[in-house]
Structure formats: structure tokens, C-alpha cells
Amino acid sequence: MASLIPKPRKKLVFLASGRGSNLEAVLQVIQKGKIPANPAFLITDNPEALSIQIAARHNVPAKILDWKSYSKKEEYHLDLLRTLTEISPDLIVACGYMRILKPEIIRAFPNRIINIHPSLLPSFTGLHAQKQAFDYGVKVAGCTAHFVDEGVDSGPIILQGVVKIEEGMTERELTLAILKEEHKILPLAVKHFCEDRLLIKDRKVSIL
């Protein structure tokens, strides 16, 4: 009987600007052998990001494109595109990345960029989504793993995690509860992609 030839592992690039807890969540699952992926690089716009230390602990090299060092911000975006093109990843994972990707990057990697957002999209897009939900007084909040398109937090939804807002819950408690859900659904979304299980049709994502 002929043995099955395993599919090549997907090459991943991570984009992060801050503490990197979602980066670590994905890397831990990869390290356990549960995601068929090769974490090739972390790219960060912040030379002080804690995500750099997390990447180093997992033997993932970091490329720093310091946002503050660019007097012309369009040069940053050009350098980012050049860097991504050189690496040629199968998937780009934005996990706490605080820059809006330019259309040129999204067009270069169509349906190959996944983002995690701390709200139940399409509600509460943009910054401070947890505070937006808390101030609005919703009874249910959560997070969304989605493909990135040329809008703001508007791409096809892959997975969502739900958090019930209990009586007396503070904004801080809500933020931490949502973060726990992020750590669950982002690795799962990456896993589904790397196993070729995601199908997009009419902007709806099916998990095969």
C-alpha cells in the first residue's frame, strides 16, 4: 500500500505591535504539533514590543520596521510590502497589529491575511472595541477571527467567540474575558487555514 505524502507545512508570518499574547497562543499550538505550519517571521512596527521576546522564545526571527523612524509613512508601507513579498508566506496572521494594511498588500495576498478583532463583527469596528461594547450596554460581546479585506474589520468572518456580560462586570473584566476567547479562536482559525479547510463563497466562510 502506498503511503500518503503529507502536505507541506504552511509558511506563516505574524504581524504584531504589542504584548503578543495572541502570537504566543498560536505559537504554542504550533509547538504542540497541532497546526501544520512553519512560523517563519514576526514583523513588528514597534522595537519595544513584547511580542519580539515571545517570538525569540519560540525561535521565530523578528524583523523590525520601526514606524517612528519613517518620516514618510508611505515608505513604511512600501518596506512592509517588500518584506512580505520577499518572505512569500502562505498566510499572514495579524495579532495585535495596530496599522491598517494598505490595499496593495491585501491585493498581493488575497484571502491570505487573518486578523483577530475584539468584538462580534460587524459591530464595534476599529479601536477600543471592548470599550465601545461596554459603553453601549450590550449583553453579549466577544471576538472575531476574519480574513482581511480593504475595509476596516470588514472581511469574511471565520470564527467568533462569545462572552456574556454579567451584571456588575467591569470593562477590564470584559476585556480579559474577550482575550481568553481570542486565544481560543485565532489558533483554531489558523489551523483550519493550514489544513486547507476554509472555503470562501459570497463572502461567507465555510469550514470543510
Side-chain angles (χ1 to χ4, degrees):
M1 180 182 294
S3 60
L4 294 176
I5 300 175
K7 292 182 179 180
R9 297 162 68 88
K10 296 285 195 286
K11 182 193 290 187
L12 306 189
V13 166
F14 297 89
L15 303 178
S17 300
R19 63 183 182 271
S21 67
N22 273 304
L23 168 67
E24 184 155 43
V26 177
L27 290 176
Q28 285 176 344
V29 179
I30 292 174
Q31 194 171 46
K32 293 176 182 177
K34 295 182 179 180
I35 299 177
N38 169 30
F41 283 97
L42 163 70
I43 299 175
T44 180
D45 60 331
N46 176 11
E48 298 179 358
L50 294 178
S51 54
I52 298 171
Q53 299 174 26
I54 290 171
R57 288 203 299 269
H58 291 270
N59 299 313
V60 177
K63 289 183 174 289
I64 300 171
L65 301 178
D66 185 357
W67 174 260
K68 293 180 179 178
S69 71
Y70 289 84
S71 57
K72 295 181 179 180
K73 300 308 181 186
E74 59 267 26
E75 287 296 326
Y76 168 86
H77 296 289
L78 287 172
D79 276 354
L80 178 58
L81 177 57
R82 278 193 288 264
T83 302
L84 289 169
T85 302
E86 288 171 4
I87 298 170
S88 188
D90 297 297
L91 177 66
I92 299 166
V93 184
C95 40
Y97 180 66
M98 302 308 292
R99 307 294 162 199
I100 295 176
L101 293 173
K102 293 296 184 181
E104 292 78 9
I105 293 176
I106 295 164
R107 292 168 192 163
F109 301 93
N111 297 327
R112 289 162 57 195
I113 308 173
I114 288 177
N115 181 51
I116 185 74
H117 182 74
S119 81
L120 293 174
L121 294 174
S123 298
F124 309 119
T125 60
L127 296 175
H128 312 300
Q130 306 96 319
K131 177 174 172 55
Q132 291 182 58
F134 186 81
D135 290 346
Y136 199 89
V138 298
K139 302 302 181 184
V140 174
C143 53
T144 304
H146 66 96
F147 285 105
V148 176
D149 63 8
E150 294 185 30
V152 177
D153 301 320
S154 59
I157 291 170
I158 304 168
L159 293 170
Q160 292 184 300
V162 176
V163 173
K164 183 179 180 181
I165 300 180
E166 305 288 352
E167 191 70 29
M169 179 181 275
T170 66
E171 181 189 333
R172 172 66 174 167
E173 289 169 338
L174 174 61
T175 297
L176 292 175
I178 290 174
L179 189 60
K180 287 183 180 179
E181 291 298 315
E182 292 178 34
H183 294 168
K184 296 175 185 177
I185 70 167
L186 181 59
L188 187 54
V190 173
K191 175 180 170 67
H192 289 334
F193 181 95
C194 292
E195 293 175 344
D196 298 319
R197 295 183 61 198
L198 299 180
L199 175 66
I200 306 174
K201 184 178 180 180
D202 299 328
R203 74 156 286 117
K204 294 181 180 178
V205 179
S206 298
I207 300 174
L208 305 176

